[in-house]
Amino acid sequence: MKASRISLMAGLLVIACTAAPDFGPAVPQTVIPRVEQMAAFPQPYHILDWKQKALDFDAYAFDFDSQLPAGPVIWLDNARRNIDQQTFGLYTAMKDARQGPDRNGGEFHESLNTLHALLGAGLNGIDKTNQHGYNFVKMAQNYFNTENGWNIVMNNTCPQVALLGGGYGRDWWYDVFPNVLYYAVCEVFPDVDGADAIQRSIAEQFAAADSVLAGNYDFTYFDYARMQGCNNWIPKQQDAAGGHAWVLYSAYQKYGDPRYLAHAISAMEALDAQKESRFYEILLPIGIYTAARLNAEQGCHFDTAKMLDWVFEGCKAADGRTGWGITAGRWGDYEISGLQGSLIDGGGFAFLMNSIDVAWPFVPMVKYEPQYARSIGRWMLNNVNNCRLFFPDQLPDSLQCLPGHQQYTNSIIAYEGLRYEDIIYQREEHKGKHPIALGDGPLWNPANPPESMFSVYSTSATGLFGAIVETTDVEGILRLNCNATDFYAARPFPVYLMYNPFPEAKTVGYAVGEEKKDLFDIVSRTYLARGVKGNAPIRLEADASAIVVELPAGSRICRDNQGNLTVNNEIIAYEKAI
């Protein structure tokens, strides 16, 4: 048994405050080796206003009457599947011939697209429960599949359209990740009618599935109606255990049912017991974040360093998604480090949605395991900088498969992917040029136009960056919100990750606000500033990260009997769990 099932009860902890408090030594940093291959300060350097990107995406994607050249991407679906209510769809790719109100009964749309859009909007302050006369969050409940007996949120509303594209009942990550997204949406938009019953059903189904699997997640997918693991031609997806663990631990935090905690730990034990990387898409990173929280909050001992290498170095298993990992280096004149995708397909193939999604678990993870602060800070600087290259106004026309289309959606909608070279469309003018922005849309259906290279599905994730990423007054130093995607967690104080990529210390203006604060760094275990407001100068050491906790001025930091640092009985820094 690798993990202890001891739950720490805050009310039972003994708090010690002394006249000369001992905050403990600085947290030694654990290197993620592949991150060392990434530039400290990527070039060319340009950070987009990701919050504005998120707001622009929402304004366009939910405009039924858009006058942009591309036209609207949203429609109403009146099939009333699963729940007797009207719902809506968003195009997966621009002008996708399989979709829209007049194709396939208006029923072919994907929850991964819809739920990303709702989550990103909510994280950036947009109320999707009351917009344009619609409660879009309630309408998304039609993805909760009851008619097929699975009783979880799935990527489509029914099997009748599922085989038109995307995964449904045959590709495990496609069946698990919608439930992760749905739980996140429900925390951002609480108390929506009907949501609680859906969340309960998901938790029960995942707990039952984990009981059946009993530590063996060696399957392509799981039939949640028959409660049976299944295999087909798709590679096995053992990292689905990470998605199960995240949902079940979130359910434990929400409902307090100890069964959910037990199954979250059980699923993480199955993931931790894997002998090699089976990384694909997002469920392994989601699981690593869950492992870090279980280590910190429940006294577990999961090997997060091993699993982080599984993500960054990629899957090497011949019977897995071979080559899937995190990019490092340059393609032509451009840094492409930090992106997620295939490291081997035609020299490399990175995807926007995947690259943004990984920030969701890894940025808040450093609160629980601050030994990764430097590596995650460096990786995020590269990832955030280089994700701009998917947008048509951020690359020269000579490196795009749809040159001259910057105004098609005002560059709101991005290309699906970046390839090292154009081995798909093989255009003469692209020979010897790297990278090339493109998308697979025209390959999915012979009726799909070239514009389907632009991916609504991929761009819908931009709200995650919008909520996490802030620039500072020092170019190259970002302020990353560690609370934004730390769902179903205690977040008593603002927490930000800041990385200094330079070979010398830098003084950065830290935006505090109008109330006086103390700024405490849980990496160095020192105060960076006390009693400050407005724009306070703080010092960041060379090639190092700080995790800054904003405390009310004059707060007293204490140590509980587990060694955690607390303020007003709220934990601000965990004692090392591993």
Side-chain angles (χ1 to χ4, degrees), residues 75-91:
W75 70 92
L76 295 174
D77 171 359
N78 289 295
R80 310 181 96 80
R81 295 282 185 180
N82 302 304
I83 297 175
D84 186 17
Q85 65 176 15
Q86 183 183 63
T87 188
F88 69 98
L90 296 172
Y91 280 98

Side-chain angles (χ1 to χ4, degrees), residues 138-423:
K138 180 75 172 70
M139 294 166 79
Q141 293 177 2
N142 290 65
Y143 291 110
F144 177 62
N145 276 238
T146 58
E147 293 176 4
N148 67 359
W150 282 40
N151 295 315
I152 63 173
V153 174
M154 300 184 72
N155 194 39
N156 305 109
T157 59
C158 61
Q160 285 85 339
V161 296
L163 294 180
L164 294 171
Y168 182 96
R170 65 188 187 277
D171 193 346
W172 208 351
W173 86 271
Y174 266 118
D175 298 328
V176 172
F177 190 40
N179 298 277
V180 174
L181 281 164
Y182 187 74
Y183 255 74
V185 167
C186 287
E187 203 221 30
V188 174
F189 298 104
D191 303 321
V192 173
D193 183 47
D196 188 73
I198 292 173
Q199 287 186 271
R200 272 286 194 181
S201 176
I202 293 166
E204 289 297 321
Q205 291 294 86
F206 280 17
D210 182 71
S211 292
V212 169
L213 291 161
N216 177 19
Y217 275 73
D218 296 340
F219 296 101
T220 295
Y221 70 99
F222 190 86
D223 186 319
Y224 292 87
R226 295 186 297 155
M227 285 292 155
Q228 179 179 333
C230 305
N231 287 305
N232 56 29
W233 69 96
I234 297 170
K236 294 179 180 180
Q237 298 179 37
Q238 292 88 341
D239 57 353
H244 272 182
W246 188 95
V247 168
L248 288 163
Y249 196 52
S250 297
Y252 170 67
Q253 298 298 329
K254 180 176 174 62
Y255 298 111
D257 189 328
R259 294 180 303 123
Y260 299 152
L261 173 61
H263 283 294
I265 292 173
S266 169
M268 272 311 311
E269 288 173 340
L271 185 62
D272 195 34
Q274 290 299 314
K275 302 303 182 187
E276 60 185 337
S277 175
R278 294 302 177 113
F279 176 42
Y280 184 60
E281 298 284 349
I282 185 58
L283 297 182
L284 177 56
I286 286 286
I288 296 170
Y289 157 86
T290 309
R293 279 192 67 182
L294 289 169
N295 288 344
E297 296 177 341
Q298 306 298 330
C300 298
H301 298 277
F302 296 116
D303 190 346
T304 51
K306 170 189 70 179
M307 290 187 279
L308 282 166
D309 282 343
W310 284 352
V311 169
F312 281 86
E313 298 293 340
C315 175
K316 298 178 173 62
D319 59 346
R321 302 280 189 170
T322 311
W324 197 270
I326 304 295
T327 59
R330 296 178 70 87
W331 292 349
D333 295 330
Y334 293 87
E335 292 280 355
I336 49 77
S337 293
L339 307 177
Q340 184 190 160
S342 175
L343 309 181
I344 60 175
D345 185 353
F349 190 6
F351 297 88
L352 177 61
M353 183 193 79
N354 306 74
S355 302
I356 293 175
D357 271 347
V358 189
W360 167 353
F362 284 171
V363 172
M365 177 191 73
V366 301
K367 292 169 54 178
Y368 305 99
E369 297 200 342
Q371 62 264 39
Y372 300 114
R374 177 187 170 276
S375 284
I376 295 301
R378 185 172 181 146
W379 159 69
M380 271 295 288
L381 179 61
N382 279 272
N383 188 22
V384 172
N385 183 70
N386 301 334
C387 273
R388 80 185 191 283
L389 301 177
F390 294 89
F391 291 88
D393 60 351
Q394 296 297 314
L395 277 176
D397 277 351
S398 60
L399 298 180
Q400 301 184 44
C401 276
L402 285 178
H405 276 66
Q406 288 81 4
Q407 302 308 311
Y408 183 62
T409 67
N410 285 342
S411 291
I412 291 170
I413 305 301
Y415 285 97
E416 178 191 10
L418 281 178
R419 275 193 174 273
Y420 171 72
E421 60 183 349
D422 177 14
I423 64 169

